[in-house]
């Protein structure tokens, strides 16, 4: 898809440097990764961005950076550095926001990686060049970009519902959708030129988001993969886990009171604290 641009090289270097620091320091990694409770309760919104520059391993980092280099060149050259950066960071934050919404009740959920941003870059490329060939690493197989896009969205939706892997498919889907939408906004001639591709990719994603917003139980699915993924828990174990998660939330609220005072609490935090005090 063209040579890697200057901005992409800067992004790759930033990912490598920050990820390496995370590899070496658990405290640094924990401070800046994506953690639901830290974002929703402590309002550490920087994690929505910083988590996208951390990775769990060198393989994770290398795979993501190779993907970025493969797809970023054409976008940066065609749209310019500023609009390319807008797509990158909008996709990064958009992917994390979808993850945050889906896992809003899973306080201990955490994740890292630039996959949301890179998915956005890939889908912006598909919106611009729907007939481009998308290949697979080490395989001489290429499929049309529009077909890859539709398949990717459908697979992400299936994976989110089935909970088959410990992979952040929510961030992938959210980043891809935002990347495509932002590309259309920044380059308004796209809908007229590639409307079939854009609609075919957006429709299933929009429908899925509509379903999880209006019917949250849509995410609850009982299938073989879900049962295999979930460990068995008896009533006592489940109760103790719920109490442990609740205690973590209360501890963070108390820490917030200690640092910023009672007035800093949100209505939701006050309600949780009051409910917990009644149980004790």
């Amino acid at each position: 898809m063209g040579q890697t641009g200057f901005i992409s090289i800067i992004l790759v270097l930033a990912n490598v440097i920050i990820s390496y620091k995370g590899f070496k320091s658990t405290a640094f990694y924990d401070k800046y990764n994506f953690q639901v409770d830290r974002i929703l309760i402590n309002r550490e919104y920087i994690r929505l961005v910083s988590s996208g520059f951390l990775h769990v391993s060198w393989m994770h980092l290398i795979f993501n950076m190779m993907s970025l280099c493969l797809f970023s060149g054409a976008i940066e050259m065609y749209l310019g550095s500023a609009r390319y950066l807008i797509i990158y960071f909008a996709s990064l934050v958009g992917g994390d926001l979808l993850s945050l919404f889906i896992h809003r009740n899973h306080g201990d959920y955490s994740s890292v990686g630039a996959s949301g941003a890179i998915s956005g870059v890939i889908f912006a490329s598909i919106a611009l060049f729907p007939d481009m060939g998308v290949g697979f690493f080490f395989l001489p197989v290429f499929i049309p970009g529009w077909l890859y896009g539709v398949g990717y969205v459908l697979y992400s939706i299936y994976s989110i519902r089935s909970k088959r892997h410990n992979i952040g498919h929510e961030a992938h889907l959210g980043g891809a959708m935002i990347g495509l939408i932002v590309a259309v906004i920044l380059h308004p001639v796209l809908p007229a030129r590639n409307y079939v591709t854009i609609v075919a990719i957006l429709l299933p994603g929009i429908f899925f988001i509509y379903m999880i917003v209006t019917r949250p139980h849509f995410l609850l699915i009982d299938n073989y993969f879900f049962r295999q993924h979930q460990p068995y828990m008896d009533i006592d174990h489940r109760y103790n886990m719920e109490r442990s998660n609740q205690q973590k939330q209360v501890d963070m609220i108390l820490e917030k009171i200690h640092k910023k005072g009672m007035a800093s609490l949100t209505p939701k935090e006050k309600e949780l604290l009051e409910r917990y005090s009644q149980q004790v």
Side-chain angles (χ1 to χ4, degrees):
M1 288 301 297
Q3 295 182 341
T4 304
F6 175 74
I7 297 299
S8 295
I9 293 173
I10 297 298
L11 288 171
V12 169
L13 288 174
N15 272 276
V16 170
I17 292 169
I18 295 172
S19 291
Y20 178 73
K21 187 168 178 61
F23 297 156
K24 303 294 287 185
S25 171
T26 302
F28 181 85
Y29 182 92
D30 290 340
K31 183 177 180 180
Y32 292 109
N33 67 356
F34 178 96
Q35 290 188 34
V36 171
D37 274 354
R38 292 293 183 179
I39 296 170
L40 292 181
I41 296 178
N42 288 17
R43 299 184 181 181
E44 297 175 11
Y45 301 126
I46 186 64
R47 292 175 183 268
L48 294 172
V49 176
S50 61
S51 61
F53 289 87
L54 291 168
H55 291 79
V56 296
S57 66
W58 281 110
M59 184 62 69
H60 185 205
L61 173 64
I62 291 170
F63 181 84
N64 272 348
M65 294 305 100
M66 286 178 63
S67 299
L68 178 62
C69 290
L70 284 172
F71 286 93
S72 62
I75 292 287
E76 188 173 347
M77 183 180 299
Y78 193 83
L79 294 180
S81 299
R83 289 190 284 183
Y84 166 59
L85 280 174
I86 291 172
I87 290 173
Y88 185 92
F89 282 101
S91 302
L92 172 58
V93 174
D96 276 348
L97 287 176
L98 182 59
S99 291
L100 190 64
F101 178 78
I102 290 177
H103 294 286
R104 62 193 182 279
N105 296 320
H106 309 146
D108 58 346
Y109 178 83
S110 64
S111 65
V112 293
S115 300
I118 294 166
S119 294
V121 170
I122 293 173
F123 273 66
S125 298
I126 292 173
L128 288 168
F129 315 106
D131 295 324
M132 72 176 186
V134 178
F136 301 89
F137 287 117
F138 311 117
L139 292 176
V141 178
F142 293 86
I143 62 174
W146 65 267
L147 180 59
Y148 173 87
V150 173
Y152 185 95
V153 169
L154 294 176
Y155 175 73
S156 295
I157 292 172
Y158 165 76
S159 297
I160 292 170
R161 293 199 69 218
S162 67
K163 301 176 176 65
R164 185 176 179 179
H165 306 293
N166 291 320
I167 298 174
H169 293 287
E170 304 88 353
H172 297 178
L173 177 62
M177 299 283 290
I178 292 297
L180 190 148
I181 291 170
V182 172
V184 169
I185 293 172
L186 295 177
H187 198 60
V189 300
L190 284 178
R193 196 173 68 190
N194 302 325
Y195 69 93
V196 174
T197 297
I198 293 169
V199 171
I201 292 174
L202 284 180
L203 272 182
I206 291 173
F207 175 74
F208 174 71
I209 293 172
Y210 168 79
M211 290 296 291
I212 64 175
V213 170
T214 59
R215 302 176 184 179
H217 60 277
F218 181 71
L219 285 175
L220 300 176
I221 183 169
D222 183 26
N223 59 34
Y224 172 78
F225 297 118
F226 180 75
R227 290 193 296 271
Q228 289 292 102
H229 179 72
Q230 297 296 316
Y232 171 77
M233 291 189 294
D234 58 24
I235 294 176
D236 289 337
H237 190 180
R238 190 178 295 111
Y239 172 79
N240 290 332
M241 180 171 287
E242 290 175 356
R243 292 284 293 180
S244 176
N245 289 335
Q246 187 181 56
Q247 184 62 54
K248 288 179 182 178
Q249 291 179 317
V250 172
D251 288 343
M252 282 191 283
I253 293 174
L254 293 176
E255 181 182 350
K256 184 177 181 181
I257 294 173
H258 176 71
K259 291 181 178 179
K260 300 181 180 180
M262 192 72 180
S264 65
L265 296 184
T266 65
K268 182 179 178 180
E269 291 169 343
K270 291 178 181 177
E271 180 184 352
L272 177 62
L273 194 61
E274 182 179 354
R275 188 165 65 245
Y276 181 76
S277 65
Q278 292 172 353
Q279 295 174 357
V280 176

